[in-house]
Amino acid sequence: MQDTWTLGGRTFTSRFILGSGKYSLKLIEAAVRDAGAEMITLAVRRTNTKESENILDYIPKNVTLLPNTSGARTAEEAVRIARLARELGCGDFVKVEIMRDSKYLLPDNAETVKATSTLADEGFVVLPYMYPDLYAARDLVKAGAAAVMPLASPIGSNRGLAAKDFLQILLDEIELPIIVDAGIGRPSQACEAMEMGASAVMVNTALATAGDLPLMANAFRQAVEAGRNAYRSGLGRVLTRGASASDPLTGFLRD
Amino acid sequence: MGAKILEENRFFVDADTLSPEALARKHRLENDSSCRTDPTQYLPGMEVLQSDVRERVLSQVASYDPARYTASDVRAALERRTCTVEDLKALLSPAAEPLLEKMACRAKAETEKHFGNTVYLFTPLYLSNYCENYCVYCGFNCYNRIRRGKLTAEQTEREMQVIASSGMEEILLLTGESRSQSDLTYIGEACKLARKYFRTVGLEVYPVNTDEYRYLHECGADFVTVFQETYDLCAYEKLHLLGHKRVFPYRFDAQERALRGGMRGVAFSALLGLADFRKDALATALHAYYLQRKYPQAEISLSCPRLRPILNNETIRPMDVGEKQLCQILCAYRLFLPFAGITVSSRESARFRDGIVRIAATKVSAGVSTGIGDHESKYAGESAENRTGDEQFEIDDARSLNRMYRDLSDGGLQPVLNDSLYV
């Protein structure tokens, strides 16, 4: 049976999502062809009006566009950017990104919940980028999010799954798909997130700055698949939780 | 230090068109400090901000002794995960010069972590070169004999059309500092026009009050650049002899007023070569640093202009700030403020700019003219006979947008024309 997952009525086989940030035609090609990406993030603020530069032209039609609201500092601004994306013809998917800090670019969970609620009411498929906090994640579920996208570590830090323990809590408690976003600096970290039970990972810088884009894209595809298979096989959870001993500890008890 | 540089750079030029009275007044200003106003005293109408940022920056700079730092301080700074203020001081010191290649490697890694391989492009548009200040190193200074002019609304729109048709999406509007020739409404109307043709509008105009920044923001501007020129008050006083720019603290607080007025981002700079460049670089970085801590949402960026020759004074040079020193400063900025934008203007050569965008810079200008109203002739490849007013300084890198775009792409970088939405 094919291992698929669904978001906003669309079914995906790939669990590798290309983030925005650093874009080039070569990067998109590598992500689609070699990493198998079926969803690509698009920073609305970076879309160009100049014809030759329009990133929309680079993205194959069978790939789902995920416009993001980067640059928004409040829920209100995020909502405006999302509406603009829809008007630009980017579809109904939107990644809500709200930051009130230019240094760490950490998401503001409270504003994100507000924006998610408004946009879900307007029929958007909302994927909120968030700091991995259980209460906020639950609020996002209530607000109508289609998935939650917790960060793994601060953007640009290349520190991998620094928030691992908190990601695990969300993976254990939240029923929606969880896409691990931000901080994945290498394929092994993507693999680890998938082993833990993430539905997908989002990667940009790690791929964009690689020496050989197609090779790195392929490495990510393999890592994501390996991690996913490990999770499905049951090993992932068993390893995290500790295996049961082959000889029961309580085997000496009589009666 | 400021006095020494003044002697080395012969700034004072007497235009033969000045009346004997004007000339006498000019000489008095230049030679007799008692004729000059107190640079710390606000003029009527200037908003006084209650802010601790200036005190914090200037006290750090006052105690900074670049000679105190050693190679091991620099090595330690390069190994630390986050760069402290002390580390920044070491990185700006002479002891760091032999370690420049190491610094550049670390800076490059930080730049890639935060910006990948992207480089932003913009172009400046000078609206007016009228100026009421006497800043001795500037081509626009009120005593310099240049052709003065300002664009009418129609001319402004025409220039914007020409620039926009080249593909540029971000524009920086500049004026000389004259409230009478380029008043707030004049600038505001230019912002409204710019919003029709560009996605991002920045301003580099005379500092204004918070409510005036709010008005300009509502007209469409999102970014404000104010160069402090030098943070050394003693040198500042000797270089800015007349006009509202002479008021040091009002200029210093401009970025903070701009942020309070709703601007998305602010840019900072010293004009390197005016005073002790190590202290000025330290002050610039700390000015940005403390303000970002106070206003965490603010997008901050740094520029790094060096002195250039001006019309009627070909001799002006950046003195002891060579390309190596400039590179050192930019690497130090990058390591101390990994998330900050760094702009390198067309004052620098194409070779330098091509190199520095691989290390630390994230933004460069293209298709630049610093004169008034000559984009149309320049972009059409004609001489600038028709220009309305003369240039502020001589540029070095005259590449067009297309050329710059191609050069960056060929170098494996990703040119980005727009990274902001006006919301």
Side-chain angles (χ1 to χ4, degrees), chain A residues 23 45-47 53 71 102 156, chain B residues 120 199 296 298 405 414 418-419:
Chain A
Y23 253 158
R45 63 172 168 168
R46 277 216 188 138
T47 54
E53 267 316 301
S102 65
Chain B
Y120 306 108
R199 295 274 300 274
Y405 199 98
Q414 174 67 20
N418 186 63
D419 192 43

Side-chain angles (χ1 to χ4, degrees), chain B residues 126 140 346 368-372 378 390-395:
Chain B
Y126 283 73
F140 285 175
S346 58
V368 175
S369 160
T370 70
I372 311 298
K378 221 168 209 178
D390 285 330
E391 303 186 314
Q392 186 183 24
F393 56 87
E394 290 179 10
I395 65 167

Side-chain angles (χ1 to χ4, degrees), chain B residues 52-61 286 289-290 293:
Chain B
D52 58 345
V53 174
R54 188 168 12 112
E55 175 50 36
R56 297 180 80 170
V57 172
L58 296 182
S59 65
Q60 288 280 2
V61 175
L286 291 178
Y289 172 73
Y290 288 125
R293 286 178 81 85

